[in-house]
Structures are given as C-alpha cells and as structure tokens.
Amino acid sequence: MTDDTTPMTDGGTDEEARTDGGPPATVPPDDETPTWSERKERSQGLAQLTYQYFERSRREDEDLRTESTYVERDVLGFPTWPHETIRNLAITSFFLGIMLLVASIMPGHFGDPANPGSTPAIILPDWYLYWSFGLLKLDPINPDLAVLGGNIVMSNELLGLIAHGAIFGVITLVPFLNKGNARRPVEEPGWAALGVAGVILAITLAVLAIQNFFPVPLELLFSLVFMLPVAGGVITYAVLKTMREGYMYDLNRRYYMLRPPK
Amino acid sequence: MSLKKQDDMDHNAWLKSQDLTAIETAFLTTLIWLDKRLRIVDYLELLETMYYRANLQMPKSHTEQYDLDNKFWYWYPLYSLGSLSIIAYLLAAVSGALLGFYYAPSTAGAAAQGDPTAAYDSMVMIMTDVQFGFMLRSIHRWSAQFMVAAVFLHMLRVYFTGAYKEPREVNWILGVVLIALTLLFGFSGYVLPWKQLSFWAAQIGVELALATPIIGEWAAQLLFGGFTLGQATLVRMYILHVFVLPFVVTALIAIHVGIVWVQGIAEPH
Ligand code: HEM
C-alpha cells in the first residue's frame, strides 16, 4: 500500500478495492510521446490543420481528465446475459408473432390488372403515403396573380412538391433550431406543441387524400386540415404549461413545508 | 530437466488412495479418461460461470440509478421502436426474397388494354398455386406496413424525448433520409404487382417527377424509364425495390445503429 492513495468517491482508500485496474491506460502526452505531427511530418494545408486539431483535442481531453476527481469504476449496468438477451428475445418474438398473426387473419385483397385506358374513380397509395397524397390536393391555396389574369403561378403538382420539400426541410433542421439539453416535453411546451401539430397535420392531410370517403363539404374539410393542427398545438401547449405550474406548486409546497415562512 | 514424460498429477494413484464404491470408481475413471481427451473441465467451468451469471441480482434500474421521476418508465417501451423497425425490415427481406423466386417483372402478355400482364399473373400464381404463397405475400405486405409504422413512431419518440439534440444531429438527419427511403421502398413495392392502383400510383409519380423544375424530365427518365408507363417503368421499380434500396437502406441502418452504439442512447433526465 502506497502513501499517495487518493480517496475514492465511495469514501474508501483501499487499493485492493479499486475496480478500474488503476490509473488510465492511455499514455499522457508528455515529452516521450510523439505528437501527431511528429509521427508523420505534415507541414502544410488541410493535413496540418487536421493534425493540429487532433493535438489540441487530445490535450483538452487530457486536461479534463487530470482536473477531474472522477474515479473510473465498473459500470453498474444491465447484464447482456441473461437479462438483456431474454428481454430482447421476448420483445422480438412478441413482435414477430403479432406480424404473423395479423398477416394470417388479414391477408388483404388483390385488385384488378392495370388498365392504362381507364382511370379508376379513386387512386390511392398505401395508407402511409396518404399524407403525401393529401399534399397534392392543396390546389385551393395555390397562389394566383392578378398580373397573370388570375392564372396560377405554378402547377398544383409543383406546389405539392414544394410542400414536401418544406416539410422534410423543417424536420431536418429541428436539431439545429432546438438546442439545449431539455428532454421532456414539459420542459419545452412550445416544441412539444409543434410536434403534436405536425402529427395532427399528417393525419388531417391523410383525410384530405381520402376526402371522397368523408361526407363533409370540401371547403370545411380543407379549413379543418389546417385548423385542427393549430388547435391541437394550442391545447398541448396549455396542458404542458399547466403541468409545469403543477410541478412548481409541488416543489414550492415541499420547500415551504421544510422551511415554513416566518 | 529430463524429457521423460512426467505425471505431475497422478490421478490413478489418487483414485486408489480414496475409499470409493464401484460406481464412484467407474464414474471417475470415465470422467478422467474423457477429460484427458476432451478437456471437459473447461466446459464445466464455462457452465458454472454461466450459472452464476444467470443468478445475478438485478442491478439498479435506470430510473433508480438516476433518481428519475418514478413515472418515467412508461416511456421505456417506446425505446424499442427502432429495433422493431429492424425486425420488421428483416422479416420483409426474408419473405421478399422468397417472393422473388416466383415474381416476374414483366408487362408482357396483355393482348388488350386491361388484360393481366405477366407480372400480375405471377402474383396471382403466387397467391393461388404456390404452397404457402398467399401467406407469404401477406407476410411481406404486413411486415412492410409494420416497418413504416414503427419508423414513424420511432421518429416521434426521438422527437418528443429530445433525443436528437447535440451530439445526435447526424443520426437525426440520417433518420430523415431513412424514413424517405422507407417510403420509397413502399412506393416501389406497391407498383410491382401492376394492378390498377399500382399503375395509377406510378402515373402520379411520373406526373410529380415531370412537374419538378429543371431536372423534371431527367428524373422521370431515371426513375420511371420514360414519360409513359410501361415495361421500362416496371423494371426500374423492380431494380429499385430489390437491388438498390436493400443495399442502401441496410448500409444506412448499419451506420445509424453504429452511431447509436458509439454515442449511447440519449438519457432521459
Ligand atoms: C429504417 C429506419 C430506422 C431504423 C431501423 C432505426 C433504428 C434505430 C435504433 C435501433 C435506434 C436505437 C434506439 C431506439 O431503438 O430507439 C435508433 C436511434 C435513433 N434514431 Fe433511428 N431508426 C430509423 C429511422 C429513424 C428516423 C426516421 C429518425 C428521425 C428522423 C431517427 C433518429 C434516431 C435518433 C436521433 C436516434 C438516437 C436516439 C437516442 O440516442 O435516444 N431514426 N434508431
């Protein structure tokens, strides 16, 4: 037992009890360690910048590691065998079973052969593309210009395509617009409301695609397609805000129970 | 040191020194004989280790460990949706490979407009003549639908748990590409039987492609093999569905899951 035993986070100092096998096995960048640029002379251009960055970032890691009082220990985890394996097997067989069951009781029907000469009354893709199909029926909001004598600026197909692009674009940008480390919807009611509105919009657009099956005037249906998502978003926002107040109330109550106001 | 064979462990002498019954002697002799040849001891050791592992205490659950609100576990099943997408994808791949043995991507054979084509006939053949074929097609269709549903829901779970935030932006973008390709998978598969609905769905596809500014005609040529639908369209959808997309999507899923592996699941807090 050496004298310079550092205390461990659990309070003990017993070297035998160290579960991490001692200090980190990585070599600190002292004088004897060749730097990235020494390993291979890279003196110009992007290669040099890359290796300069690697040096910096390794330095940063090392500094963080030396400053830290954190002692690495065995991870308290969920064992792969048998817990995780059995759980996964159970989930997998359950899900496979459901799929086979559904496939056997609802085999689906098979339509007529293709006939390029006769357009069917109802053209529909599978259900998961209904929202996309709905986006092609946006012609009532296709902008027209007085200069063009009330002619539309772009074809309805192009409008639909642009709508698709906008939706995929917004979804792609989400991680760059919403930063921070909040995870729960209550922490960010606005973003949760946006999500709920998006889900409802997907559903209402799907309904728009199969409008023929709904005995609602087209005008009303079209308004609902856009009003319902907004309504859903507002309700979500209100509910989450209220929940947040509730949490704050609980916290405050506990606080004042511990420290009653004088 | 001599080269003479030494018997450090004289098992036979040990056997003799014990006071054993006939059964015990027979058992031990056999065991020693087998062990000398097959190292049974090693396997017994493995079995023993497994036995002790299997009887481990359950470790602290995630919620206990991080002292989370104890209602949080409701959400945990939703974390399996990504895996469910993969399971459904695999089932679709297996059943699809089997369907591929019988399906013919050809519009030949229609004497007049509206007559069944070879593709249509091969589907009918699968459903009526092939053993288990009706079920096979049903499995393929349903696993595809389950996959799409699971992918949609997986995306929602990632969104509502804020799991896309730094450093997981790349995986989110990969996910957007994956969901688009999954939908394309569904679309191209829908065209293959060359039913009325397949044909007219593809027709809308061509019209959309043609409506794209600048690259429209080129895109229509590339994806649909022309501006009117026919044999070329069917073959292109077929190659997309059974060759291009399987490779691309499988590779992207591998990268997607590889990144999750490296970064770890975003912890709820
Ligand atoms: C073919 C489709 C997809 C497959 C097979 C797939 C598979 C997976 C798997 C197995 C995980 C591990 C965690 C979990 O299961 O929840 C995961 C995580 C993740 N997925 Fe997907 N995914 C797909 C599509 C998507 C989509 C559409 C998005 C979003 C646009 C997405 C974004 C993410 C992100 C950000 C993570 C990390 C989440 C975390 O760390 O908690 N994935 N994916």
Side-chain angles (χ1 to χ4, degrees), chain B residues 243-262:
Chain B
F243 183 75
V244 180
L245 284 175
F247 277 107
V248 175
V249 170
T250 308
L252 288 184
I253 290 180
I255 299 175
H256 188 77
V257 176
I259 293 179
V260 174
W261 190 339
V262 170

Side-chain angles (χ1 to χ4, degrees), chain B residues 159-174:
Chain B
Y159 181 86
F160 285 109
T161 54
Y164 51 80
K165 295 182 179 176
E166 186 188 325
R168 297 187 175 77
E169 300 97 331
V170 175
N171 235 5
W172 174 264
I173 294 174
L174 257 179

Side-chain angles (χ1 to χ4, degrees), chain A residues 36 47-60:
Chain A
W36 286 103
Q48 186 208 14
L49 288 178
T50 310
Y51 281 85
Q52 268 175 4
Y53 169 71
F54 279 177
E55 263 157 37
R56 291 185 53 80
S57 101
R58 191 174 64 175
R59 181 98 246 163
E60 189 186 354

Side-chain angles (χ1 to χ4, degrees), chain A residues 207-243:
Chain A
V207 171
L208 186 64
I210 48 176
Q211 50 189 239
N212 319 46
F213 298 125
F214 288 83
V216 183
L218 196 53
E219 197 117 322
L220 176 62
L221 185 67
F222 203 78
S223 316
L224 283 181
V225 165
F226 296 100
M227 300 303 284
L228 286 182
V230 174
V234 170
I235 292 174
T236 312
Y237 188 81
V239 168
L240 290 179
K241 272 285 193 192
T242 316
M243 282 172 67

Side-chain angles (χ1 to χ4, degrees), chain B residues 10-183:
Chain B
D10 191 347
H11 296 301
N12 287 329
W14 169 71
L15 260 188
K16 270 188 206 112
S17 72
Q18 305 289 104
D19 183 19
L20 298 171
T21 62
I23 293 177
E24 286 166 337
T25 317
F27 171 75
L28 275 177
T29 317
T30 327
L31 185 67
I32 291 169
W33 191 89
L34 284 175
D35 186 49
K36 281 207 174 128
R37 285 151 188 85
L38 301 171
R39 290 311 290 162
I40 291 175
V41 170
D42 290 351
Y43 298 101
L44 282 180
E45 232 169 65
L46 276 180
L47 277 181
E48 202 184 40
T49 319
M50 271 178 26
Y51 172 80
Y52 284 112
R53 293 229 175 115
N55 287 287
L56 272 181
Q57 291 277 311
M58 286 283 255
K60 273 186 180 174
S61 74
H62 185 94
T63 19
E64 281 165 340
Q65 196 178 336
Y66 292 94
D67 202 15
L68 293 172
D69 188 305
N70 59 7
K71 293 186 198 107
F72 207 83
W73 65 267
Y74 293 166
W75 301 105
Y76 280 21
L78 301 182
Y79 283 67
S80 58
L81 283 166
S83 321
L84 298 190
S85 321
I86 297 179
I87 296 169
Y89 181 57
L90 292 180
L91 185 59
V94 171
S95 54
L98 294 177
L99 285 176
F101 290 155
Y102 306 102
Y103 172 77
S106 159
T107 58
Q113 266 192 351
D115 280 357
T117 52
Y120 186 91
D121 279 339
S122 65
M123 286 308 300
V124 172
M125 189 269 281
I126 288 172
M127 292 170 67
T128 52
D129 296 345
V130 175
Q131 288 280 354
F132 207 58
F134 205 80
M135 182 67 180
L136 200 60
R137 167 165 187 263
S138 181
I139 290 176
H140 190 67
R141 275 187 53 77
W142 277 105
S143 56
Q145 321 234 347
F146 270 88
M147 176 179 173
V148 180
V151 173
F152 264 119
L153 295 175
H154 169 63
M155 181 168 150
L156 292 184
R157 135 27 213 154
V158 170
Y159 181 86
F160 285 109
T161 54
Y164 51 80
K165 295 182 179 176
E166 186 188 325
R168 297 187 175 77
E169 300 97 331
V170 175
N171 235 5
W172 174 264
I173 294 174
L174 257 179
V176 175
V177 175
L178 272 174
I179 202 172
L181 291 182
T182 308
L183 295 176

Side-chain angles (χ1 to χ4, degrees), chain A residues 77 83 103 106-107 111-112 114-115 117-120 124 127-128 133 157 171 175 178 180-185 188 191, chain B residues 58-59 113 120 123 134 138 142 145 159-162 164-165 172 186 190 194-196 200 204 208 211-212 267 269:
Chain A
H83 305 85
M106 287 185 275
D112 299 327
N115 185 351
S118 87
T119 315
L124 273 185
W127 60 269
Y128 47 79
F133 208 59
E157 282 89 4
I171 295 178
N178 183 14
N181 52 15
R183 290 260 189 260
R184 302 181 185 204
E188 290 180 322
W191 282 95
Chain B
M58 286 283 255
Q113 266 192 351
Y120 186 91
M123 286 308 300
F134 205 80
S138 181
W142 277 105
Q145 321 234 347
Y159 181 86
F160 285 109
T161 54
Y164 51 80
K165 295 182 179 176
W172 174 264
Y190 193 67
W194 214 244
K195 304 177 289 179
Q196 232 345 25
W200 290 96
I204 289 181
L208 270 189
T212 321
E267 276 184 7
H269 49 69

